[in-house]
Amino acid sequence: MAAAVSRRSGAFLLFLGSVLGLSDALFGGGAPYRRQLSVVLNPNAPLPPPGGDLLHVRAVGDNDTIHFLFCSLGAPTLLLVHTNTSSSTVRVDWKKFEERNISGSLRVEPESSVLDSTAIIFSRLWEYNDVNDTGHVTSDPFPPYELKDFLWSGLNLSGASARLCGVAATFANGSLCVQLSVFESEGRGLSWPRLLHSANSSQMGVWLDGVLPRAARSRFMLELRAVGGAYPVSRVEAHRSIDDEYTPSIFKVSRWQSAVNGSSDVLGFVQWKPVAYRRLNPALEDATPCHHSEPQRLSAEETASLSALVKGFYEEPLTYGLNISFGIAGEPFYNSTRFLSWTALVGVGAPPVDSFSVLVVSMMVFGLGTPLILLLLGGVCVCVRKRTTAPPALAYEPIN
Ligand SMILES: *[C@@H]1O[C@H](CO)[C@@H](O)[C@H](O)[C@H]1NC(C)=O
Ligand SMILES: *[C@@H]1O[C@H](CO)[C@@H](O)[C@H](O)[C@H]1NC(C)=O
Ligand SMILES: *[C@@H]1O[C@H](CO)[C@@H](O)[C@H](O)[C@H]1NC(C)=O
Ligand SMILES: *[C@@H]1O[C@H](CO)[C@@H](O)[C@H](O)[C@H]1NC(C)=O
Ligand SMILES: *[C@@H]1O[C@H](CO)[C@@H](O)[C@H](O)[C@H]1NC(C)=O
Ligand SMILES: *[C@@H]1O[C@H](CO)[C@@H](O)[C@H](O)[C@H]1NC(C)=O
Ligand SMILES: *[C@@H]1O[C@H](CO)[C@@H](O)[C@H](O)[C@H]1NC(C)=O
Ligand SMILES: *[C@@H]1O[C@H](CO)[C@@H](O)[C@H](O)[C@H]1NC(C)=O
Ligand SMILES: *[C@@H]1O[C@H](CO)[C@@H](O)[C@H](O)[C@H]1NC(C)=O
Ligand SMILES: *[C@@H]1O[C@H](CO)[C@@H](O)[C@H](O)[C@H]1NC(C)=O
């Protein structure tokens, strides 16, 4: 009896194993693309720069390199530069870079190897009093927090991740933090929304912790600016996403991407699920929907004045901007938990796309497969019994 049970559970495990293996082969797609990462803080700076830090993560692939640059001189900015060689380098003229008044103080060399570049600036934090609980700005919002004027901490590095926290005078004990993570190969974030990443994308997390709201019914919006070379990320598309165990109850993914004329190729993208969380360790009810405004063309000059990195790298920073609003009508206001976190991917090439997870595939296989197998087995048993009990001459007798 015990032996039979263990044999059956053994067969079950074998079946489960083959299902997992099969779904891995179907949905995993072979060995993941890997990059070699090297991390340098303030590359070749004679002295630590007084106003903030510049982090350089070099991600070298087979025949290409992505340079991830993250800077807190001015508003927090992430710059991705994709080159077609594995030997390109970043050169910073620190004196000019810190003066922030000319372009060309930060270069990626050789210049002819640059395929594309995208910068994302976290430019402003908007707060509005949602008196009628509409989830939209209906009257004048409060004056925005300019992130370029924040007092930023030094970059807190751990591996290929860096965290930056900043405060404004009226934040009381609160802070706004931005975290960059760069990855060697594909995987998933550890906390919700558990975005799928690859070696070609980095993850940006933003959270607003303990800030004193200026009204009891305050909601917040984050203004992002995207700067590009020839093809800036200019339009946002919403795509359906598979709702699986990674991001419960969210059926969409929003993708802000570069539009290349007459081609479906994506050069650079910012991708997020339209959800934020109202607690650091959220439960399902702490998820709150987000929405975004249409990207607008913004002034290149004003954008360059916000960020040392954009000023130093771009001559003519073609800029689009949008607002991500946290919360919709009927959702609790910021004051309910005084916490909000939101996560996005920023990368080059085709954005990662969720496929069914192994768990969902196994459930489908068990849910649909088991009855099918039972049906087949039942059919076989009936046939076998008929063959052994009935004489051949009666084989065509109609069944009652
Ligand atoms: C990289 O370049 C080499 C030679 O230039 C080529 O043989 C190889 O196939 C390339 N690898 C990839 C992954 O493109
Ligand atoms: C940039 O600023 C520095 C110091 O403020 C000044 O000496 C220099 O002339 C300026 N350069 C340009 C091109 O404006
Ligand atoms: C790519 O690499 C080749 C050979 O190194 C070079 O000639 C070319 O200009 C590079 N840049 C682009 C954008 O293809
Ligand atoms: C809120 O609703 C009231 C009544 O409908 C209206 O008078 C008021 O202007 C609204 N306030 C805002 C900020 O939209
Ligand atoms: C840096 O991060 C680590 C781990 O997240 C934390 O323990 C440490 O206190 C942080 N250091 C500073 C200076 O914020
Ligand atoms: C800030 O923190 C201090 C000490 O932790 C506390 O006494 C004070 O009440 C806090 N202020 C606000 C506005 O939360
Ligand atoms: C990442 O980029 C490399 C080089 O462009 C490409 O070969 C690879 O397929 C990309 N990986 C993913 C997961 O998109
Ligand atoms: C936030 O909520 C608390 C109660 O949870 C309340 O005492 C406080 O006055 C509210 N803050 C503001 C700015 O309305
Ligand atoms: C894209 O195409 C349109 C018309 O086909 C043209 O007017 C526009 O200048 C093109 N833009 C770029 C960046 O090539
Ligand atoms: C963000 O929202 C504020 C307030 O409604 C608005 O003034 C600003 O222009 C918006 N920014 C962008 C880039 O749409």
Side-chain angles (χ1 to χ4, degrees):
M1 178 70 189
V5 167
S6 82
R7 188 151 0 112
R8 200 183 300 159
S9 64
F12 174 79
L13 284 182
L14 205 73
F15 181 48
L16 185 66
S18 63
V19 165
L20 296 187
L22 182 73
S23 62
D24 230 353
L26 275 176
F27 299 99
Y33 191 78
R34 296 193 83 86
R35 290 183 181 275
Q36 206 91 44
L37 302 185
S38 54
V39 181
V40 183
L41 188 61
N42 300 319
N44 297 320
L47 290 166
D53 286 316
L54 173 67
L55 178 76
H56 178 208
V57 181
R58 199 160 172 265
V60 180
D62 294 335
N63 284 338
D64 70 340
T65 305
I66 305 175
H67 298 278
F68 294 91
L69 292 144
F70 184 43
C71 184
S72 57
L73 285 146
T77 305
L78 172 66
L79 170 66
L80 270 64
V81 184
H82 191 197
T83 68
N84 73 355
T85 146
S86 50
S87 61
S88 56
T89 54
V90 169
R91 190 180 303 273
V92 186
D93 180 335
W94 275 99
K95 188 170 172 292
K96 289 181 178 150
F97 189 71
E98 285 175 51
E99 281 171 3
R100 295 198 217 171
N101 56 7
I102 58 164
S103 100
S105 58
L106 185 144
R107 290 172 195 277
V108 173
E109 293 177 338
E111 229 151 304
S112 64
S113 71
V114 175
L115 296 168
D116 186 43
S117 66
T118 302
I120 299 297
I121 307 175
F122 296 85
S123 51
R124 288 194 180 111
L125 182 69
W126 292 90
E127 179 180 356
Y128 64 100
N129 187 1
D130 195 6
V131 278
N132 290 339
D133 193 9
T134 60
H136 288 275
V137 181
T138 49
S139 56
D140 280 347
F142 291 109
Y145 293 106
E146 298 285 347
L147 270 54
K148 72 174 167 44
D149 298 332
F150 273 32
L151 196 59
W152 295 102
S153 66
L155 278 183
N156 188 345
L157 289 179
S158 99
S161 295
R163 184 192 314 154
L164 184 66
C165 289
V167 295
T170 60
F171 266 18
N173 293 342
S175 60
L176 172 87
C177 297
V178 182
Q179 176 158 321
L180 167 74
S181 307
V182 182
F183 310 101
E184 251 174 23
S185 70
E186 68 180 36
R188 242 177 225 289
L190 293 174
S191 50
W192 281 345
R194 303 214 56 200
L195 296 181
L196 180 69
H197 58 246
S198 74
N200 300 344
S201 52
S202 57
Q203 181 172 297
M204 297 295 309
V206 183
W207 62 96
L208 195 61
D209 188 5
V211 171
L212 188 67
R214 286 177 275 186
R217 306 193 129 208
S218 274
R219 294 192 194 278
F220 284 92
M221 301 193 293
L222 185 64
E223 186 180 285
L224 299 180
R225 293 180 181 219
V227 178
Y231 303 105
V233 294
S234 55
R235 62 195 161 98
V236 183
E237 290 178 357
H239 294 262
R240 273 175 195 288
S241 165
I242 294 156
D243 175 49
D244 65 6
E245 86 252 35
Y246 296 116
T247 320
S249 77
I250 304 301
F251 298 92
K252 275 194 188 148
V253 58
S254 302
R255 192 178 296 154
W256 190 12
Q257 63 193 24
S258 58
V260 181
N261 248 5
S263 153
S264 59
D265 284 357
V266 176
L267 295 175
F269 65 87
V270 185
Q271 176 167 289
W272 64 90
K273 294 206 174 169
V275 62
Y277 295 95
R278 286 194 308 267
R279 282 183 208 280
L280 180 59
N281 297 303
L284 196 53
E285 64 268 23
D286 299 318
T288 191
C290 309
H291 53 99
H292 62 81
S293 61
E294 268 308 298
Q296 286 180 23
R297 185 76 184 267
L298 298 176
S299 142
E301 210 169 314
E302 191 214 342
T303 302
S305 73
L306 300 178
S307 159
L309 192 49
V310 165
K311 180 73 195 176
F313 183 74
Y314 287 102
E315 234 163 74
E316 186 61 32
L318 216 51
T319 307
Y320 286 82
L322 56 71
N323 286 323
I324 307 278
S325 316
F326 304 111
I328 55 172
E331 287 284 311
F333 301 99
Y334 179 77
N335 194 32
S336 67
T337 57
R338 294 207 183 165
F339 185 89
L340 268 177
S341 81
W342 178 76
T343 309
L345 289 186
V346 185
V348 303
V353 175
D354 268 319
S355 54
F356 287 108
S357 71
V358 168
L359 182 72
V360 170
V361 169
S362 334
M363 270 159 44
M364 282 184 343
V365 166
F366 284 121
L368 299 175
T370 313
L372 209 70
I373 288 170
L374 288 178
L375 219 68
L376 282 174
L377 281 179
V380 167
C381 283
V382 167
C383 285
V384 168
R385 268 185 55 186
K386 275 187 93 85
R387 286 194 90 140
T388 50
T389 53
L394 297 174
Y396 296 108
E397 220 179 23
I399 299 161
N400 314 324

